[in-house]
Every structure is written in structure tokens, then in C-alpha cells.
Amino acid sequence: MNKTMRRFFKNYLNLISLAVLLAVIIIAFIPEIFSPYDPYSMDYNAILEPPSLKHLFGTDQFGRDIFSRCIFGLQKSVIIAFSSILIASFFGSILGLIAGYYGGFWDLLIMRICDGFFAFPSLILALFIVALFGATLINMIIAVGVVYIPIFARTVRGAALSIRESLFVKASKVIGKSDLKIMIEDVLLNLSSILIVTFTTNLSTAFLTEASLGFLGLSVPPPEPTLGGLVGQGTAFLLSAPWVTLFPGFVIALIVLNLNILGDGLRDLLDPKNK
């Protein structure tokens, strides 16, 4: 383990954020184990009960356990955020590689399309796509993913512009390597650290975008729980039962905070200036 890795693990914030995010992933994959109640089960004798040992986060207006709904809502939010950024990184990297490696017409065309996407706020653009095609899990993933494609395209394009002038790229051209092999083996592999950091930092904003759509009622429709949807549904009870909104909002804030901390740690770890 080199000095940079040791520096990463010596930072307690990095270790804590990594542990929290691993716990979130485990809970999201097997929510049934951690959920004390059925998230869809209604108990009209326990409507809007405050937090207690029986219901850690209290209950909502239908007597459903909020802690259980947060756990199952976490699963949907993690799937949407992670899948959408995975799609965005794949297609954005392809577009960025083409624009940065070939330049000229392709660079101009792809960057002007990206500028068109950047002209709209990410939430408004995602709202439009979801409203147009409907609020389903697949449409949510596509909507959030499309919003973040230009970010990856521009990031990869900027790095590819400098790498294509490197001596090892010119040497690959001389020995007869195809453009596709050069882009994958010489350019893309040298962008891996940039992609990892970009993926992590945008994952937190994608999580917030999904939560915002859920808050506005345009995420996966009820009774399926999502964290943003739980916050939105609880706004009517802010004064009488604030825990309905407070705890799902706290879970969102905790995840986004730890993603940002991990992203900063990875940026320090993978930045060549720190080596």
C-alpha cells in the first residue's frame, strides 16, 4: 500500500463515509432483513404515532412504519441514482472520446448538443422527460441518466484533447493501431481516475435529482416508497407530525454528505499532483 492510500485511510472521515455507503448498499440490496415491518402494511390504530421503540421513525398518515418505508425507499433511490450515472458515464465517455480524439466537426457537433442540454437546469430537464414518458423506474433511470451525459462528455473530451497529443498516442498511430484501440487502450485507460471521481461526485447530485422528482410526485408512483416521495408526502404534516418528513430527509442528507466526502477523498487519492 503506497503513501497515498495510507493517507486516504488515515483520514477518519473517508473511513466513516466508506463504511456508511457500504452499509447503505447492503441495506438497499436486502431490505427485507433490516425492515421490521411490511412497508405497505397499514395499521389504522397507529396513525401518525411519534418515534418510539416500536416504530423507530414513527408512522405516517396510514399507520405505515416510516423506518421500513425508508429502507425500501432507499432501495429504489439507490437503483435509480446508480443506474442513471452508470448510463451517463458510458454514453458520455463515448461522446467525449469521439469529440476529444477526432476534434473538428465531431467536436463541434457533440459540444453544441451538450451546450443545448446545459441550457436547461438538470431538474427541469429530468422533469420534462419523466412527464413526457411517465413515472416508471426505467423512465426515471433514463431521465436522470440523460441529464448527466453532457457532464461526462465534456469532462472526458477535455482530458482526451490533451492526451491525444501525448507521445505514446502518436507512437500508437505510427505502429498502425486502429483509432478504436487507441481511444480505449491509450486514451480511456488514462482517464480512469478522472472518470472515477466524476462518477462519485455526480452520484450524489443524481441522488438529489431523484429525491427532488420524488418530492414533486414524479418518481416511482405510490404506494412504492422512495425517499423523496416520503419527504413530499409528509409536508402536509410538518406541524402536527414532523417526523414523517424529517427522517426520510435525514437519510437523504446522510447519503449525499458521505458521497461528497468520499468523492473528495478519491479526488485527493487519484490526483497526480498529490503523488
Side-chain angles (χ1 to χ4, degrees), residues 155-219:
T155 302
V156 171
R157 178 253 186 190
L161 280 173
S162 59
I163 292 178
R164 74 175 184 179
E165 302 299 329
S166 301
L167 290 176
F168 61 86
V169 173
K170 293 179 179 179
S172 296
K173 290 180 180 179
V174 170
I175 63 175
K177 260 191 179 182
S178 66
D179 287 344
L180 181 61
K181 280 189 174 182
I182 293 174
M183 284 192 287
I184 295 174
E185 297 176 1
D186 296 329
V187 180
L188 188 60
L189 289 180
N190 281 283
L191 295 175
S192 57
S193 60
I194 296 173
L195 283 174
I196 291 170
V197 174
T198 307
F199 187 97
T200 309
T201 52
N202 283 285
L203 189 59
S204 63
T205 53
F207 201 91
L208 281 176
T209 301
E210 186 280 327
S212 301
L213 290 172
F215 178 82
L216 296 171
L218 286 171
S219 185

Side-chain angles (χ1 to χ4, degrees), residues 89-106:
S89 63
F90 178 75
F91 290 103
S93 297
I94 292 174
L95 293 173
L97 274 175
I98 294 172
Y101 183 78
Y102 288 111
F105 168 77
W106 291 109

Side-chain angles (χ1 to χ4, degrees), residues 118-155:
F118 282 126
F120 298 93
S122 58
L123 180 59
I124 300 298
L125 186 57
L127 263 171
F128 174 76
I129 296 172
V130 172
L132 190 64
F133 296 103
T136 64
L137 184 67
I138 299 299
N139 289 345
M140 282 291 299
I141 292 172
I142 294 172
V144 179
V146 166
V147 167
Y148 287 90
I149 285 176
I151 297 174
F152 282 89
R154 179 157 285 184
T155 302

Side-chain angles (χ1 to χ4, degrees), residues 17-268:
S17 64
L18 192 60
V20 170
L21 294 174
L22 285 174
V24 166
I25 292 171
I26 292 171
I27 292 171
F29 271 101
I30 44 175
E32 298 84 2
I33 294 178
F34 299 93
S35 174
Y37 297 94
D38 183 346
Y40 308 104
S41 177
M42 301 181 186
D43 183 1
Y44 293 106
N45 294 318
I47 292 176
L48 294 177
E49 281 193 1
S52 63
L53 291 177
K54 185 179 179 182
H55 299 284
L56 291 178
F57 288 179
T59 61
D60 64 9
Q61 67 271 31
F62 299 109
R64 297 174 297 192
D65 182 65
I66 295 175
F67 180 75
S68 300
R69 288 183 65 76
C70 280
I71 288 176
F72 277 83
L74 179 65
Q75 182 185 52
K76 303 290 188 307
S77 298
V78 167
I79 289 173
I80 292 171
F82 186 83
S83 300
S84 61
I85 293 299
L86 203 60
I87 291 171
S89 63
F90 178 75
F91 290 103
S93 297
I94 292 174
L95 293 173
L97 274 175
I98 294 172
Y101 183 78
Y102 288 111
F105 168 77
W106 291 109
D107 185 23
L108 183 66
L109 176 64
I110 292 171
M111 287 303 102
R112 293 301 74 78
I113 293 173
C114 289
D115 288 340
F117 278 92
F118 282 126
F120 298 93
S122 58
L123 180 59
I124 300 298
L125 186 57
L127 263 171
F128 174 76
I129 296 172
V130 172
L132 190 64
F133 296 103
T136 64
L137 184 67
I138 299 299
N139 289 345
M140 282 291 299
I141 292 172
I142 294 172
V144 179
V146 166
V147 167
Y148 287 90
I149 285 176
I151 297 174
F152 282 89
R154 179 157 285 184
T155 302
V156 171
R157 178 253 186 190
L161 280 173
S162 59
I163 292 178
R164 74 175 184 179
E165 302 299 329
S166 301
L167 290 176
F168 61 86
V169 173
K170 293 179 179 179
S172 296
K173 290 180 180 179
V174 170
I175 63 175
K177 260 191 179 182
S178 66
D179 287 344
L180 181 61
K181 280 189 174 182
I182 293 174
M183 284 192 287
I184 295 174
E185 297 176 1
D186 296 329
V187 180
L188 188 60
L189 289 180
N190 281 283
L191 295 175
S192 57
S193 60
I194 296 173
L195 283 174
I196 291 170
V197 174
T198 307
F199 187 97
T200 309
T201 52
N202 283 285
L203 189 59
S204 63
T205 53
F207 201 91
L208 281 176
T209 301
E210 186 280 327
S212 301
L213 290 172
F215 178 82
L216 296 171
L218 286 171
S219 185
V220 182
E224 292 292 333
T226 62
L227 294 176
L230 294 175
V231 174
Q233 294 162 21
T235 52
F237 308 97
L238 275 175
L239 296 179
S240 58
W243 56 85
V244 179
T245 294
L246 179 65
F247 286 108
F250 173 75
V251 173
I252 294 171
L254 180 68
I255 293 171
V256 171
L257 174 64
N258 283 280
L259 280 171
N260 286 332
I261 291 173
L262 184 64
D264 289 340
L266 288 174
R267 183 187 59 202
D268 294 338

